[in-house]
Amino acid sequence: MKKRIIILLGLPGSGKGTQGSVLAQKLSVSHVSTGEILRSMIKKKESSFSLLKDYMDKGKLVPTILINEIVHRFICLDNKDESYILDGYPRNLDQARYLTKNFNVEIKVILLDIDEQTVKNRIIGRYHCESCGKIYNKNNDKHNIEGVCDRCGSSKFMCRIDDSEEKVLFRIEEYKREAIPLIEYYKDKGEIIVINAKQRKKEITEEILSCCKEWLT
Ligand code: AMP
């Protein structure tokens, strides 16, 4: 049977990670976030970790040949799951072509549409729980108990090195350069759905579910 994949596409800070994890829970499928996989490889000091860290700390995309290999490991060798939410991959045309060519998959692309100023504000106030990864924003979110993670109870939080203002601007420019041809590619194939990502988190989730639930499950 063909694997089915929902690809979440959008500017850094458009909500791919948040939506990816909620959707995966609601649809009982795996959430594959390439950013998360890379951060965990660096934490565990897995092969090529210092090279990966160097790219990521600068906010640059890691070489496509490496990321394709990693995605291959996560999707192709895993026979259990037939469906996935893919967040952060593909990031450019070469990766998109690799995905289509090398995997027997059906694809729907969700483009989380949002303006640059909103994502800059979101990312610059962003931090997460070191233990479970839940994302917060110091300008919008209040914890149930101050200093304690609402999801797991940990009291250790951190910011991503690549969330500084300078790196965010760099990542946004890189996204625009790489994503425009990518969006055109999926538009031509009729596989893209545009969602207004300025809505509340719950509304975005509901809109994605209404487009994809039947198709995916
Ligand atoms: P993200 O968590 O999606 O914002 O990704 C964080 C960083 O991981 C990016 O700035 C890149 O350095 C790297 N990364 C994640 N996914 C990819 C990808 N598909 N291609 C290249 N680099 C990636």
Side-chain angles (χ1 to χ4, degrees):
M1 188 184 149
K2 265 193 170 180
K3 288 178 195 286
R4 294 201 160 161
I5 294 187
I6 291 179
I7 293 170
L8 297 175
L9 203 62
L11 278 163
S14 57
K16 300 185 295 294
T18 305
Q19 291 300 327
S21 84
V22 175
L23 290 166
Q25 263 186 356
K26 290 199 181 277
L27 296 165
S28 307
V29 298
S30 298
H31 172 207
V32 177
S33 154
T34 44
E36 281 304 318
I37 294 169
L38 293 168
R39 282 186 284 278
S40 137
M41 288 174 73
I42 291 170
K43 211 168 166 185
K44 292 184 200 151
K45 297 195 171 14
E46 283 186 23
S47 69
S48 319
F49 82 94
S50 59
L51 178 73
L52 298 173
K53 185 169 175 358
D54 199 42
Y55 279 100
M56 290 177 74
D57 285 354
K58 291 182 181 139
K60 288 184 172 177
L61 292 185
V62 309
T64 285
I65 191 161
L66 282 179
I67 198 83
N68 284 349
E69 223 180 274
I70 291 166
V71 167
H72 195 272
R73 236 170 43 206
F74 272 81
I75 297 186
C76 205
L77 304 181
D78 175 357
N79 297 317
K80 291 192 306 271
D81 289 305
E82 295 302 337
S83 305
Y84 295 86
I85 313 273
L86 210 48
D87 141 22
Y89 184 95
R91 280 287 227 278
N92 59 30
L93 259 186
D94 284 345
Q95 295 179 11
R97 291 195 180 116
Y98 177 85
L99 184 65
T100 308
K101 191 167 162 223
N102 291 281
F103 302 93
N104 187 23
V105 288
E106 281 179 42
I107 287 171
K108 262 198 205 299
V109 180
I110 303 293
L111 175 61
L112 295 172
D113 189 31
I114 196 161
D115 62 283
E116 283 177 40
Q117 192 54 49
T118 306
V119 297
K120 276 182 211 160
N121 296 342
R122 274 190 194 172
I123 297 184
I124 289 161
R126 182 162 82 170
Y127 63 97
H128 62 272
C129 170
E130 209 181 305
S131 169
C132 74
K134 184 171 166 59
I135 299 166
Y136 298 88
N137 188 292
K138 65 175 180 234
N139 305 314
N140 303 326
D141 299 323
K142 270 212 155 51
H143 296 249
N144 297 334
I145 304 170
E146 207 181 315
V148 177
C149 177
D150 296 342
R151 189 197 276 162
C152 75
S154 164
S155 51
K156 282 195 178 157
F157 298 93
M158 61 185 293
C159 294
R160 281 169 49 173
I161 294 176
D162 60 349
D163 276 353
S164 69
E165 189 160 0
E166 183 202 349
K167 310 272 172 58
V168 170
L169 296 180
F170 184 87
R171 285 161 61 205
I172 289 175
E173 286 313 310
E174 183 148 63
Y175 170 82
K176 289 195 297 195
R177 200 173 49 246
E178 301 288 354
I180 290 166
L182 189 58
I183 291 167
E184 287 307 313
Y185 172 81
Y186 284 122
K187 262 190 193 155
D188 288 347
K189 288 159 103 9
E191 290 172 339
I192 202 157
I193 298 165
V194 182
I195 304 272
N196 171 10
K198 275 188 91 166
Q199 304 176 83
R200 297 155 84 92
K201 286 176 200 167
K202 220 173 151 189
E203 288 165 356
I204 300 171
T205 309
E206 276 163 16
E207 208 175 317
I208 300 174
L209 286 173
S210 75
C211 304
C212 298
K213 193 170 180 182
E214 267 183 36
W215 175 78
L216 195 71
T217 50

